[in-house]
Amino acid sequence: MTKSIEVRSITAAETLPLRMSVLRPNRPVEIARFPEDGFATTRHFGAFSGGNLLGIATLLRAALPEQPGELALQLRGMATAPEVRGKGFGRALLLACLAFARESDVPLLWCNARTSGVGFYRKLGFEIIGAEFQVPDVGPHFRMQVRPASQ
Ligand SMILES: CC(C)(COP(=O)(O)OP(=O)(O)OC[C@H]1O[C@@H](n2cnc3c(N)ncnc32)[C@H](O)[C@@H]1OP(=O)(O)O)[C@@H](O)C(=O)NCCC(=O)NCCS
């Protein structure tokens, strides 16, 4: 049975356990922190079920490098707990991010997607921009973008 999922704003500190365990395993906590975590324009979302935080996503104000003059949000720190993968937590988080971008009148949302996650982002309307590139210590990525107003 699909669990009921609640998405709401959380603090940067609340994102850290999942960021560390899923995205930066066996690395010091400093590696899991983003410089923009505390900025007023940054928003962190958590996906909960039964009171447990099972997915996270962070949106920060940053221009797409290929489109430097346009207001944009960068999606970072997207992760769901391994035990709930494929149950809609990631989708619920991305839908909240798209809704937030629309409410904020931000026309563009982008991310550096792990190549293994490209299919997930495609399902939510993202498209690839440019060639695959390597992120040191993490692996291959593609830049992806979506226009929230069209979703
Ligand atoms: C990528 C990730 C966030 C997806 O989260 P999730 O909770 O499993 O996603 P959902 O269950 O909401 O999946 C939504 C849809 O995407 C599909 N999907 C999920 N992960 C996918 C993947 N890696 N490749 C292709 N499709 C994928 C699901 O099958 C589902 O499709 P459906 O609507 O047809 O049923 C999660 O697997 C994760 O945290 N991975 C490790 C960290 C990571 O790679 N983060 C992204 C870094 S850029």
Side-chain angles (χ1 to χ4, degrees):
M1 197 180 95
T2 307
K3 295 187 177 202
S4 84
I5 301 166
E6 183 205 352
V7 177
R8 56 179 160 83
S9 288
I10 59 173
T11 64
E14 286 177 285
T15 68
L16 290 179
L18 273 175
R19 270 194 205 166
M20 290 177 72
S21 62
V22 176
L23 298 171
R24 303 284 187 271
N26 306 312
R27 308 292 304 279
V29 64
E30 293 72 36
I31 304 289
R33 290 200 172 99
F34 304 149
E36 303 87 349
D37 269 345
F39 288 11
T41 48
T42 297
R43 182 68 63 104
H44 308 279
F45 291 104
F48 293 80
S49 183
N52 299 311
L53 178 58
L54 295 166
I56 52 168
T58 292
L59 288 178
L60 50 96
R61 283 284 173 103
L64 175 68
E66 290 80 1
Q67 202 75 28
E70 187 172 17
L71 183 65
L73 287 165
Q74 181 183 4
L75 171 64
R76 291 200 67 187
M78 171 88 228
T80 59
E83 65 271 23
V84 297
R85 299 262 166 88
K87 295 183 188 299
F89 285 78
R91 174 188 297 276
L93 283 161
L94 273 194
L95 290 176
C97 291
L98 289 164
F100 177 76
R102 282 192 292 270
E103 286 157 18
S104 312
D105 289 322
V106 176
L108 186 63
L109 182 56
W110 66 277
C111 66
N112 291 324
R114 292 179 186 206
T115 299
S116 58
V118 163
F120 165 71
Y121 292 105
R122 276 209 171 110
K123 294 243 166 164
L124 275 297
F126 283 71
E127 56 189 22
I128 285 176
I129 325 165
E132 190 178 54
F133 60 96
Q134 293 290 327
V135 173
D137 299 326
V138 184
H141 285 67
F142 282 99
R143 191 115 70 218
M144 300 187 80
Q145 67 171 5
V146 64
R147 294 211 169 258
S150 69
Q151 295 305 306

